[in-house]
Amino acid sequence: MEQIAKRADVGKLTVYRRWSIKEELIAQAVEQTVSADLVPSPDDIQALDPQQIIEGVIQAAAEMTASPAVGIKGVADGVAAAALPSGHVAVSARGQAR
């Protein structure tokens, strides 16, 4: 938890206020990372047909699974992003602001 607070540039108490145990923090980070990478955007839902959306989600899941380093980096970014004070912009493993 100390390293997470340090990476997010917040106090350890800030992290513990939001998550009382590490498992909750990790679960939220994984959920945030998977959601960011695998859930189609509203624009994609409007512009693409269902088959294209499904193919895109399958492709993204395959890439995430094939490259554990990207997945782990994404989770680490998710942990740090979740701990950031409001108003800060997190950057994903792919260098995209979220």
Side-chain angles (χ1 to χ4, degrees), residues 48-58:
L48 304 173
D49 66 56
Q51 182 175 346
Q52 291 173 309
I53 293 170
I54 292 169
E55 288 172 354
V57 169
I58 291 170

Side-chain angles (χ1 to χ4, degrees), residues 30-69:
V30 169
E31 181 180 330
Q32 182 174 340
T33 301
V34 169
S35 177
D37 288 342
L38 299 182
V39 175
S41 71
D43 290 339
D44 285 346
I45 292 171
Q46 291 294 320
L48 304 173
D49 66 56
Q51 182 175 346
Q52 291 173 309
I53 293 170
I54 292 169
E55 288 172 354
V57 169
I58 291 170
Q59 180 65 34
E63 288 172 6
M64 183 183 285
T65 303
S67 179

Side-chain angles (χ1 to χ4, degrees), residues 18-29:
R18 191 148 182 191
W19 302 278
S20 57
I21 58 174
K22 291 177 192 176
E23 290 80 5
E24 289 174 354
L25 184 145
I26 292 168
Q28 184 176 351

